[in-house]
Amino acid sequence: SSDQTSPLAVVGETGYGKSALIANWLHRHRSHHPEDVVVAHFVGATSTSTNYTLMVTRILEDLHEQLGLTFERPPAEQLVTEF
């Protein structure tokens, strides 16, 4: 069914354009489907991209921005404990 969704992972060697491919797709998808909530996380884009506490914080901030949610960001210690 077209209503089903699943995560997408793009893998490959360094320099093959994975990040550019996904960033391009994300930009086009958001412009054509502004009602969709899409959270992208580029592992390897920064030295902290694999830090799960920072990743969860960034995803929460992304959801806050996309959905207009109002919440107080939990402290890092709480994220570590709960996630």
Side-chain angles (χ1 to χ4, degrees):
S1 157
S2 63
D3 292 343
Q4 293 180 350
T5 61
S6 58
L8 170 69
V10 176
V11 296
E13 293 184 34
T14 301
Y16 275 33
K18 301 173 300 294
S19 295
L21 172 74
I22 296 301
N24 225 340
W25 175 88
L26 184 60
H27 176 74
R28 290 178 55 122
H29 185 83
R30 284 183 173 160
S31 68
H32 288 95
H33 305 281
E35 72 283 357
D36 287 358
V37 176
V38 179
V39 177
H41 180 68
F42 295 83
V43 175
T46 67
S47 61
T48 59
S49 66
T50 57
N51 179 309
Y52 67 90
T53 303
L54 295 175
M55 180 183 68
V56 169
T57 300
R58 194 198 57 73
I59 289 171
L60 288 173
E61 289 171 352
D62 197 8
L63 289 171
H64 167 75
E65 182 180 318
Q66 289 188 52
L67 299 173
L69 301 176
T70 303
F71 63 90
E72 193 170 317
R73 181 172 57 167
E77 302 79 31
Q78 183 180 351
L79 287 173
V80 171
T81 304
E82 293 183 12
F83 294 100

